[in-house]
Amino acid sequence: MSINWDVQDKSVIITGGAGGIGLGMATAFVKAGAKVLIVDVNDSALTQAKKRFGVFRNH
């Protein structure tokens, strides 16, 4: 199934984005060209997610 999202250069915030469905959604949005902010309480998983996508800004 393919969904055509026009999110190029849009900003997206994903809570729980370091694993599971949140990580899957973050991956989809990044591939679609969105600017993605991932937030998660699991610091080690968040670090791995940042490595996966590359960190452009670390706040």
Side-chain angles (χ1 to χ4, degrees):
M1 178 176 173
S2 178
I3 298 173
N4 185 12
W5 291 333
D6 184 16
V7 294
Q8 183 72 36
D9 296 322
K10 303 286 188 202
S11 297
V12 177
I13 300 171
I14 300 178
T15 59
I21 294 170
L23 183 59
M25 293 303 297
T27 301
F29 279 116
V30 167
K31 287 182 178 179
K35 299 170 190 166
V36 179
L37 171 65
I38 300 172
V39 181
D40 204 293
V41 297
N42 185 334
D43 285 336
S44 66
L46 189 57
T47 298
Q48 292 302 313
K50 288 194 275 186
K51 288 179 184 176
R52 177 180 180 153
F53 297 119
V55 177
F56 298 102
R57 293 180 130 178
N58 189 4
H59 295 278

